[in-house]
Amino acid sequence: MARKPKPERADVCIIGAGATGAAAAKVLTERGLRVVALEKGPWRRKESFGGDELANVNRYNLWPDPLLNPRTVVRPETGATGPVVELFCPVPQMVGGGTVHWQGWLPRFTPNDFRLRTVVGDLPGTTLADWPITYDELEPYYTRVEWAFGVSGQAGANAAEGPRSKGYPCPPLPLSYYAKKFHEGCSALGWNAFPTPQAALSRPHNGRPPTVISAFAQQHGDPSGTRSSALNVFVPHALATGRFDLRPDCYVREISVDERGRAKGAVYADADGDLVEQEADVVVLACGAVETARLLLMSRSGRFPNGLANSSDLVGRNVTFHEYSAAVGLFNDPIYAWAGGGYVSASSFQFYEHDDSRGFASGGHIACAGVGIPLPINWGLPDRPLWGPQAKQMDRDYFNHSMAVAMVVHDMPQHDNRIELDEKVEDAWGLPVARVTLTPHENDLAMGRFLIDRNGEILEAAGAKKVYRVYIDKVTGNCSHQHGTTRMGDDPDSSVLNRWCQAHDVDNLFVVDGGPFPTGTGANPTLTMMANAWRVAEHIAERWPDRASTGA
């Protein structure tokens, strides 16, 4: 590779332009800082998106191609002797990141999520820890993100929700058939249900039109450009300042350090394949928990032989991923689960908070959705053949008569669940890939069984004539939720970052993706990730330039 001249030094260099990198860029540039963002993937325009289910779901149009970006997985509980290559916990690598293809469910964490170690006590086999920040500290930033995105929701409808300083900017979207069924089932059981907060506009907001509701939502880009996402909201806000230099197709290989051991900048291969070093006063990582850990571990030097900011040997450890599964119900009357495309959903936190009587710690988010994607090519039932006349007949009989009630498992952090470098497997750029070592805790499996049974009860109470319960026995990363590899905390011996997500070892290095989370919680994490990124970016900007590196 040729090495190009160094570009002009930036105030801040952000690695990754997804949900959290774009949020940080918006805040920092609006505060007057000059920001360069380096994004591995392309900068796609709305005209390039569409409803091709095969391309988007099956052929890696938005997902990272596993042939180019492999990831290896070790499952010690199976007795396997080595890692296998899997498309494990993929997240779109492009400007906007996972928000490009999401359904946009944006629930807040509850106050107890930030103090679960205090609530639960010791849980053997885990590294359960309280967060160094509280719900009340993060609450103003939840509000900022919700109002920037124009989130549609109903304040106070979730009985477990913490105090709010402000309601949602948009009312809930009109109910879909399957959301109505979900509410009916919860009501019959006496359980609380509420409209899922959505990254979609139910009415005009901040000059943007209402969101075009389409069946082609989850795992599809938005050709209308009306969905709320980092691509459509935060990136334009940052660009409007004139202080944001967004560079797509730039693969960062290493965070360089100076003679004092502070982050100097990012060494990356640009779109031409040439090496460039972008220097900056502050470096912010927003690559996702897996790739951020991988980049830190690749950034080895004489001062940091085990990887940057890794004197504690905790970079990559305590990783959590969630797991998504569901109970599926068949109804006599049509449900049209594809209508709404997952946008128009309903949720329950009835079994979210910890309850000792259940025999396991914590709980998870329950929500209704279509079955699977829920589009016809990838739709299916547990007893449906993959092909043939019987498969076609089941499609005719049940596709429009089925719905799912799904759950998110709050998997527990464990010291030996981790991200490392697999030096025997390289990606298309010749760099060692991330190796995931993962064993589910019995608490995860018990919680999954319990929540799936509750999902089935909701469907039965709503009138389902048949219910399939799809239990989990391992973590596959199918939520594309990643947390915990750069845990934040007050003690440098038990965490990688401080409460401001600033590395204990490197005072001008920050992480703002899901890596800082001490626990994964039982809810969709992206709202909290963006709110925390906003909080951290404000902290950096308020102390600029004299105190940006002190953490004071």
Side-chain angles (χ1 to χ4, degrees):
M1 290 182 179
R3 184 177 285 268
K4 289 183 176 178
K6 292 180 182 179
E8 182 182 357
R9 184 181 183 90
D11 295 332
V12 181
C13 179
I14 300 174
I15 316 302
T20 59
K26 165 190 165 64
V27 175
L28 292 167
T29 55
E30 289 180 345
R31 292 295 191 97
L33 277 67
R34 294 175 296 105
V35 175
V36 171
L38 304 173
E39 167 56 48
K40 179 179 180 181
W43 187 352
R44 300 210 17 195
R45 312 296 173 167
K46 65 180 183 179
E47 293 80 11
S48 72
F49 299 128
D52 187 331
E53 184 181 354
L54 280 175
N56 292 328
V57 179
N58 304 96
R59 294 176 180 163
Y60 316 118
N61 182 31
L62 301 180
W63 297 110
D65 187 329
L67 297 177
L68 301 177
N69 299 274
R71 186 168 287 165
T72 60
V73 182
V74 181
R75 299 186 183 277
E77 82 280 7
T78 67
T81 58
V84 296
V85 177
E86 297 183 22
L87 184 63
F88 185 92
C89 199
V91 177
Q93 295 174 345
M94 62 184 66
V95 175
T99 69
V100 170
H101 82 157
W102 66 350
Q103 292 185 121
W105 293 359
L106 295 179
R108 295 183 174 197
F109 292 172
T110 70
N112 280 339
D113 278 328
F114 298 87
R115 53 186 298 272
L116 191 62
R117 177 63 175 79
T118 296
V119 171
V120 169
D122 181 55
L123 185 61
T126 75
T127 53
L128 197 59
D130 289 342
W131 292 45
I133 62 173
T134 66
Y135 172 88
D136 288 342
E137 290 177 84
L138 199 59
E139 196 283 330
Y141 301 99
Y142 276 141
T143 300
R144 287 173 171 81
V145 175
E146 289 166 350
W147 279 77
F149 266 41
V151 174
S152 296
Q154 183 179 349
N158 177 4
E161 186 178 59
R164 302 181 62 94
S165 57
K166 200 172 185 180
Y168 286 104
C170 297
L173 295 157
L175 286 179
S176 60
Y177 281 105
Y178 55 86
K180 290 178 181 177
K181 285 291 186 185
F182 183 87
H183 282 292
E184 289 171 6
C186 287
S187 177
L189 295 166
W191 297 348
N192 175 247
F194 58 94
T196 306
Q198 306 270 180
L201 304 182
S202 60
R203 65 186 180 194
H205 177 75
N206 284 350
R208 298 172 54 224
T211 299
V212 175
I213 303 302
S214 167
F216 299 96
Q218 174 71 355
Q219 301 192 43
H220 293 74
D222 175 21
S224 75
T226 59
R227 181 191 304 174
S228 296
S229 69
L231 177 64
N232 294 337
V233 178
F234 289 151
V235 168
H237 289 179
L239 291 171
T241 67
R243 290 182 285 272
F244 186 38
D245 183 355
L246 174 55
R247 301 178 196 162
D249 301 306
C250 293
Y251 187 178
V252 177
R253 305 169 60 94
E254 177 187 359
I255 304 301
S256 57
V257 296
D258 63 19
E259 64 280 357
R260 295 179 294 165
R262 302 181 75 238
K264 184 173 67 170
V267 178
Y268 67 95
D270 67 9
D272 298 323
D274 295 325
L275 283 181
V276 183
E277 183 175 12
Q278 174 62 57
E279 294 187 350
D281 295 340
V282 173
V283 175
V284 176
L285 302 187
C287 313
V290 172
E291 292 301 314
T292 283
R294 178 183 175 223
L295 178 57
L296 289 172
L297 293 172
M298 288 195 300
S299 299
R300 291 174 288 208
S301 63
R303 185 183 288 267
F304 298 103
N306 298 318
L308 188 60
N310 195 29
S311 65
S312 62
D313 188 36
L314 290 175
V315 169
R317 292 190 182 272
N318 304 302
V319 67
T320 57
F321 292 103
H322 286 164
E323 188 66 12
Y324 178 92
S325 192
V328 180
L330 301 181
F331 291 80
N332 288 320
D333 52 324
I335 303 299
Y336 304 114
W338 49 269
Y343 278 117
V344 190
S345 189
S347 296
S348 177
F349 272 28
Q350 184 72 32
F351 303 101
Y352 189 86
E353 297 287 1
H354 175 70
D355 184 340
D356 281 331
S357 68
R358 298 180 199 144
F360 60 84
S362 192
H365 176 199
I366 291 172
C368 68
V371 179
I373 300 303
L375 297 172
I377 295 173
N378 288 274
W379 175 85
L381 295 171
D383 57 357
R384 174 186 177 274
L386 293 178
W387 58 77
Q390 186 181 358
K392 292 180 179 179
Q393 191 59 49
M394 291 185 75
D395 289 351
R396 296 186 190 102
D397 292 343
Y398 300 133
F399 177 63
N400 280 326
H401 293 259
S402 60
M403 66 171 278
V405 175
M407 57 86 201
V408 172
V409 166
H410 180 180
D411 49 328
M412 294 293 113
Q414 302 177 70
H415 182 71
D416 290 332
N417 282 353
R418 66 185 302 190
I419 306 300
E420 300 171 278
L421 298 180
D422 193 329
E423 303 286 358
K424 296 181 180 180
V425 181
E426 294 182 343
D427 65 12
W429 293 265
L431 298 174
V433 305
R435 182 174 67 214
V436 184
T437 300
L438 192 65
T439 300
H441 192 277
E442 177 53 38
N443 195 88
D444 310 342
L445 303 180
M447 183 192 303
R449 291 189 293 268
F450 175 88
L451 292 176
I452 290 294
D453 283 338
R454 305 294 80 74
N455 294 353
E457 290 171 11
I458 292 171
L459 290 165
E460 289 164 348
K465 64 181 182 180
K466 184 175 182 179
V467 173
Y468 301 88
R469 289 169 167 82
V470 186
Y471 299 107
I472 63 171
D473 61 0
K474 66 178 183 178
V475 178
T476 66
N478 65 3
C479 268
S480 296
H481 298 170
Q482 308 174 2
H483 340 83
T485 58
T486 52
R487 172 178 283 190
M488 62 173 160
D490 296 325
D491 182 359
D493 291 332
S494 59
S495 58
V496 178
L497 313 170
N498 67 16
R499 68 191 325 271
W500 296 108
C501 298
Q502 177 185 35
H504 292 301
D505 295 351
V506 184
D507 63 11
N508 66 334
L509 178 69
F510 295 78
V511 180
V512 295
D513 48 42
F517 287 18
T519 55
T521 83
N524 307 63
T526 310
L527 174 66
T528 300
M529 289 163 52
M530 294 187 293
N532 185 58
W534 196 309
R535 179 186 73 94
V536 173
E538 278 198 358
H539 172 81
I540 295 171
E542 287 169 358
R543 285 147 182 80
W544 187 268
D546 297 330
R547 300 170 67 194
S549 66
T550 68

